[in-house]
Each structure stands twice: as C-alpha cells, then as structure tokens.
Amino acid sequence: MNHPGELIIEPRNGKPADACVFILHGLGADGHDFEPLVPALPLPDDAAVRFILPHAPRLPVTINGGMVMPAWYDIKEMSLDRQIDEPQLMASAERIQALVREQIEHGIDSRRIILAGFSQGGAVAYQAALSFEAPLGGLLALSTYFATADSITLSEANRGLPIEVHHGSFDPVVPESLGKAGYEQVESLGYPAHYRRYPMAHALCPQQVGDIGRWFAERLAR
C-alpha cells in the first residue's frame, strides 16, 4: 500500500497541542472529508487538541467493479457479513498505530489520544484502538461495524477503553444492525460502551456534531 499522508489541524487557539484526535474517513473520500467538522465541534476555548485526518491509500474495490479509489481495504462482497480483505484492513490499522506512536513520541500522553472513524474508517479504528499496546483516551465508531471482532487480539492496556458508537436509523450503506452489533460485541467484552442512534442516513447530523464535541471534551478534560 502507498501511504498518501495526513491532514493535520493544530489547536484553534494557537496553544501547543496536549491531546490528539484521529478521524478516519470512509470509502472513496479522503482526510478533507471531515475537515469541516473540526471547527464545528463545540470544544472548550482552552482545548489544545490536534486533529489528524489521514488519507487512505488508493486501492481497487471489488464491489465497485474494481475501480481504484481511496480505501482502507477492499470490500469483496456487499452481504450483511461484509466479506473484506482483512490483511489490508490490518495493514491500515498498523499504519494508524504507527501514527499514534509518533504523537506519543512527540509528548502527547496516550490517554489523551482518541481514535474516531466513519464507515470503513471506523472498522480500522476498532482494530487499531482495541489492539493498541498503550492505554488510549477513547474510540468513536461512526456509522460503521466491528469487522475484525472474530480475529482481533485485544490489548489488556485498553480493556477499559471508553467506546462511543453512533449510527443512523436510515443508513442504506452500513445497516444500523451492523453498528448495533459492533456495540453489543464490545459491551459483551466488558468495555464501557455507549450507543446513540440518529434519524439520518450514512452521514453526520447537527445534533450528532454537538454530541461528538461534548464527548471529546469530556474524554480530554484535564
């Protein structure tokens, strides 16, 4: 896989970052897809949060006729079980983990790093966060599913990781049943998880943006 880089947004107040949020986009998009979300989040004025929005590599995607597009992994079949290229997903998760380690090396406490992901990006975020070797601040799963639930090696360091799962009740791309199943899987494993549903399709809505900002602020409060 080629690694096309990351969009990095430094704290809006000009302070040195003391926390970091990664947001992983969905299939066919790039890091800029969530760029407008960052200034819209209701974060405290003194929050010094760096946002990192990585770009997925360009891959042929089977369900789209083999078209090459930004993708964290190939989706081979659009069944409810979502047949995917798991080695590609694992490689993407390992890339995100490497980026997290860079932030830790630059002085950010791992407990002040949150992984968030939408759709395909959320599946990668589940894998990257729950298998990471140091305790993280939280996992936000947006309109997504836990693709590696049956194969992941869970990290003991993150067995208490707070997980927030959001899904649209009218999602035609990733059915809400998949999002709810991911939530139930992590809850059954003992993670402190919370589920929110919104009257929306495969997207974000204004109420959700407010909820995301408040959850970030709560998780990153000093």
Side-chain angles (χ1 to χ4, degrees):
M1 288 189 192
N2 61 324
H3 291 170
E6 303 81 41
L7 170 62
I8 299 176
I9 303 173
E10 295 294 347
R12 65 183 77 170
N13 53 21
K15 291 184 176 182
D18 64 14
C20 183
V21 174
F22 287 83
I23 305 178
L24 311 185
H25 63 78
L27 177 65
D30 63 19
H32 294 283
D33 197 46
F34 281 92
E35 189 173 5
L37 172 66
V38 175
L41 293 170
L43 296 176
D45 291 339
D46 62 350
V49 184
R50 172 181 295 130
F51 286 85
I52 299 181
L53 286 62
H55 308 301
R58 294 180 62 82
L59 302 170
V61 177
T62 302
I63 60 164
N64 288 339
M67 184 182 300
V68 175
M69 62 182 62
W72 298 106
Y73 53 87
D74 185 22
I75 300 177
K76 300 179 178 180
E77 186 179 291
M78 274 298 272
S79 63
L80 198 58
D81 292 334
R82 282 294 197 284
Q83 185 184 353
I84 66 166
D85 189 316
E86 190 165 314
Q88 288 179 344
L89 187 154
M90 297 290 286
S92 288
E94 288 166 6
R95 173 189 162 200
I96 299 306
Q97 290 177 333
L99 294 175
V100 172
R101 292 185 194 102
E102 286 181 8
Q103 293 302 304
I104 296 171
E105 289 168 3
H106 288 132
I108 304 293
D109 186 330
S110 68
R111 296 172 185 83
R112 295 182 59 73
I113 297 176
I114 291 173
L115 296 190
F118 177 81
S119 196
Q120 256 208 352
V124 174
Y126 265 121
Q127 173 66 32
L130 297 182
S131 65
F132 194 67
E133 68 272 8
L136 298 171
L139 167 63
L140 175 61
L142 303 169
S143 302
T144 189
Y145 55 104
F146 191 2
T148 53
D150 295 332
S151 59
I152 190 170
T153 300
L154 299 171
S155 165
E156 288 303 315
N158 277 297
R159 289 303 298 235
L161 183 70
I163 301 173
E164 180 89 349
V165 181
H166 292 184
H167 218 101
S169 55
F170 305 117
D171 192 332
V173 178
V174 179
E176 188 187 3
S177 60
L178 288 179
K180 195 71 181 290
Y183 159 72
E184 291 171 350
Q185 285 164 326
V186 292
E187 187 182 47
S188 71
L189 291 167
Y191 290 93
H194 183 255
Y195 186 83
R196 295 181 190 267
R197 77 193 297 255
Y198 300 88
M200 64 182 186
H202 197 60
L204 299 185
C205 66
Q207 178 189 350
Q208 183 185 19
V209 171
D211 290 339
I212 290 171
R214 286 184 285 273
W215 188 75
F216 284 166
E218 176 186 321
R219 295 305 319 143
L220 300 175
R222 284 292 192 180

